[in-house]
Amino acid sequence: MSQPWLPPDGVTRTSEVITVSAGMFKGGEFRCPAADALKTRGYHTADPVPRRRERLEHRTLGPFMAACDTRSHPAGGPPRTRSAPLHDGLKTWSDHGVKGYETAFPTEPERPLNEVPEPWTYRYRPPGPDPRNAQEYRFTVWGRCLASADGAHRELRLPVHRLNRELPPEGFIAAVALVLAEGTPGPLPKSVRIVEFALFDGNTRELFAGSREQALARYRKHGPDALAGVLDGREYRPGSACGGCPYLSVCPALRPAPGLLGVAEKDRPRRTWSVTNGRNYRTCPARDHMRRLHLPTADSVEREVTSERGRALHSYLAARHGHGSPRPCTVEVTEEWVPDGFDLPDHERALGAILLRRHAAVCPLRYVGNGTDVRTEPRVVRYDTAANVVVIAAPDLIYRDADSWVWRETKTSATDRRSNRSLLEHYPQLALAVVLMSRGDLGGVPARARVELEVLRPGGADLEIIDPSASANRTAAEGILRAMVTDWHADDLYEATPGRSCERCEVARWCSASSATKAAA
């Protein structure tokens, strides 16, 4: 018998109306199932903390929607305004999306569709006692809502960055179809259509088209189980969603780490931060901001062959280390080692095989007793309450040596040349690991606790060991983190710093200040 769904301590239910946004049916690693369940059921924290808003708009698709509102509503209609100014990159991206939308959906005189003044909402009132104590259920949708003049046909156009290779979950499509078929205001339609529109390239993809009866049948088949999954979500999933979560103060899964980053300034917008963010910001503040907005990146940079080989190696090792009973890796690696989803030329495949054979000599699974001693690519998330920043790390591996935890990072190199820079400066993720472990953050016995850096080279594997309990290491690591965070933490505008890095910037096409963009023009 399953356990009943229970909210955490410190929240109060303030509504008997359950409201579900269709986007919640998509799930995914960037959503928190428990937070979604709390929102749908109308829970609020007992003592909500006022949040300072960002100066710039952070909703990547919001400006596009606002521009479409302006186009579709005549002058003198209800005002549609943005709550914050746009970063240069977001403006370029939004303008690009609007042009693509106009091309993808030209006016069709023979079958004109008009934007509806108010998005549809599906409402259902249970006829008797409800197991979730709800008086009413509501489903909402987000996107461009259009209908024929007589209301017989409805269409929802869903803006996305790019079309994913996989279709959205069936539960999502079913929930949206239900809203279009049964939602108000307006007369109920005879037919409905759901289509995705990709702002990046203007491509479209039809997700559903059919009669009202077919839409209802689609929901009856796929919707109820998906709805239960949303409403009864129990997993707290600390990560990027914590930045805007109203339940952060009562979350039982997010561990506080006051002073972790060495910046004490609570009166700032709550943000998330990772070492990758720190590196991007140090190169160019605009680059970090546009990456955070998830603006599409240039494949020529993002999937550059050296980077792709590194990701393929990490994927291979993660699968080996995280599968079944732990067995140390061996030198028996074939030339066909490349995991699905990666495309490497022959010489990179051959180099990768050599590097993986070198790994066998330092494979950490030689030290573990069973599968519970290994964490493959775990997400380590902590809330620095002094800085009001959620810190996110994803070590390649954490494993237990006796009763102590070890943090392992693995890097690859095509040469046997070594850098003269200190390890903590060259790989700042090691600095974050040192600070976390020096605070006893991972638990375990400190005797053998350590941070390891494995560098795979054609001539062999280097294994560097860093003692987090050594005061010199901790002091150096704290200084590196503070230097990476301080300017970013105080920045509200993320202005571009054009230079040589523009040539290898994966989001340069959205930046009007980029020297690479100007050269292309």
Side-chain angles (χ1 to χ4, degrees):
M1 183 175 179
S2 61
Q3 295 295 319
W5 184 93
L6 294 173
D9 294 335
V11 297
T12 303
R13 190 171 184 178
T14 60
S15 174
E16 293 181 331
V17 176
I18 287 180
T19 303
V20 186
S21 166
M24 294 178 177
F25 286 89
K26 284 189 172 182
E29 63 174 310
F30 298 111
R31 298 198 72 97
C32 176
D36 280 348
L38 289 166
K39 290 175 187 175
T40 63
R41 293 169 180 254
Y43 280 91
H44 292 81
T45 55
D47 53 344
V49 179
R51 291 186 57 208
R52 178 173 173 180
R53 301 188 63 163
E54 295 279 4
R55 286 182 61 182
L56 295 180
E57 178 63 72
H58 277 59
R59 297 173 303 159
T60 310
L61 298 176
F64 164 81
M65 291 289 285
C68 289
D69 286 341
T70 301
R71 290 175 57 252
S72 62
H73 291 82
R80 298 254 194 314
T81 58
R82 288 189 294 267
S83 59
L86 305 188
H87 185 273
D88 167 70
L90 183 53
K91 182 180 185 305
T92 302
W93 158 251
S94 302
D95 292 344
H96 173 84
V98 170
K99 292 177 182 177
Y101 184 81
E102 293 173 344
T103 302
F105 299 104
T107 303
E108 300 180 15
E110 68 280 2
R111 192 186 183 189
L113 295 177
N114 300 310
E115 297 258 0
V116 301
E118 181 182 348
W120 304 293
T121 299
Y122 168 75
R123 292 175 170 85
Y124 168 75
R125 296 184 70 86
D130 181 72
R132 300 183 183 91
N133 297 317
Q135 294 296 315
E136 182 174 287
Y137 287 78
R138 296 177 185 173
F139 289 7
T140 63
V141 294
W142 179 90
R144 309 311 306 170
C145 300
L146 300 95
S148 58
D150 60 1
H153 177 76
R154 288 178 176 179
E155 181 165 306
L156 179 67
R157 298 168 182 172
L158 297 166
V160 295
H161 295 67
R162 290 180 173 179
L163 298 181
N164 293 328
R165 280 183 286 185
E166 298 80 20
L167 289 171
E170 282 286 357
F172 167 77
I173 299 173
V176 174
L178 174 66
V179 177
L180 268 65
E182 291 277 88
T184 57
L188 296 182
K190 295 181 180 179
S191 63
V192 302
R193 180 173 183 253
I194 307 167
V195 59
E196 286 183 313
F197 162 70
L199 274 71
F200 176 64
D201 53 19
N203 287 335
T204 62
R205 177 169 62 187
E206 188 175 85
L207 301 181
F208 178 84
S211 67
R212 178 170 169 271
E213 291 73 20
Q214 288 173 321
L216 296 177
R218 186 75 168 258
Y219 181 79
R220 285 193 295 269
K221 181 177 181 180
H222 300 289
D225 288 344
L227 176 62
V230 173
L231 299 182
D232 302 331
R234 291 173 168 82
E235 180 191 355
Y236 292 89
R237 191 179 293 162
S240 57
C242 297
C245 181
Y247 309 109
L248 182 138
S249 62
V250 298
C251 179
L254 181 62
R255 292 176 52 181
L260 174 62
L261 298 177
V263 177
E265 182 60 60
K266 292 183 178 181
D267 189 27
R268 294 289 297 157
R270 189 198 307 157
R271 295 173 173 174
T272 61
W273 184 88
S274 69
V275 168
T276 299
N277 294 139
R279 279 195 294 251
N280 286 337
Y281 183 88
R282 187 163 55 188
T283 301
C284 174
R287 179 186 186 184
D288 176 50
H289 184 64
M290 289 187 282
R291 288 304 306 252
R292 286 173 175 271
L293 292 173
H294 303 292
L295 300 190
T297 57
D299 287 343
S300 60
V301 178
E302 191 77 352
R303 300 187 72 97
E304 184 268 332
V305 65
T306 301
S307 300
E308 192 76 346
R309 183 235 304 150
R311 283 189 286 266
L313 281 161
H314 278 86
S315 178
Y316 176 91
L317 290 174
R320 288 295 302 265
H321 294 159
H323 181 69
S325 58
R327 290 182 298 174
C329 298
T330 70
V331 296
E332 298 175 2
V333 180
T334 71
E335 298 291 328
E336 304 303 317
W337 64 271
V338 181
D340 292 340
F342 296 92
D343 184 18
L344 296 179
D346 291 344
H347 69 280
E348 288 292 346
R349 286 174 172 264
L351 174 59
I354 292 173
L355 298 179
L356 289 171
R357 293 171 191 139
R358 300 294 181 253
H359 164 77
V362 293
C363 180
L365 267 58
R366 297 182 303 159
Y367 302 100
V368 303
N370 56 63
T372 63
D373 293 337
V374 181
R375 306 283 189 275
T376 304
E377 296 182 334
R379 181 173 292 183
V380 179
V381 184
R382 301 292 181 264
Y383 178 39
D384 186 341
T385 54
N388 198 20
V389 173
V390 177
V391 181
I392 303 172
D396 292 327
L397 189 79
I398 292 178
Y399 69 95
R400 190 157 43 204
D401 181 4
D403 293 326
S404 301
W405 286 104
V406 182
W407 182 305
R408 170 75 70 96
E409 295 286 354
T410 300
K411 299 298 175 185
T412 64
S413 175
T415 74
D416 290 320
R417 294 194 302 270
R418 274 75 173 172
S419 171
N420 293 325
R421 296 176 62 189
S422 76
L423 292 178
L424 298 182
E425 290 178 349
H426 195 55
Y427 303 105
Q429 60 267 48
L430 300 178
L432 177 58
V434 166
V435 174
L436 284 168
M437 297 194 73
S438 69
R439 297 160 62 106
D441 192 88
L442 300 186
V445 177
R448 298 191 183 196
R450 60 190 182 272
V451 177
E452 295 180 340
L453 172 66
E454 170 187 353
V455 183
L456 303 178
R457 306 179 187 278
D462 295 341
L463 184 61
E464 305 283 355
I465 298 176
I466 304 170
D467 181 2
S469 66
S471 59
N473 289 337
R474 175 169 181 168
T475 298
E478 290 174 338
I480 289 168
L481 288 187
R482 190 163 48 248
M484 293 186 78
V485 169
T486 300
D487 289 345
W488 164 81
H489 193 256
D491 195 353
D492 290 314
L493 301 178
Y494 312 106
E495 295 180 348
T497 54
R500 294 179 59 186
S501 62
C502 294
E503 298 176 4
R504 300 299 301 161
C505 178
E506 64 277 21
V507 288
R509 69 171 297 173
W510 313 116
C511 179
S512 64
S514 167
S515 58
T517 303
K518 292 177 179 178

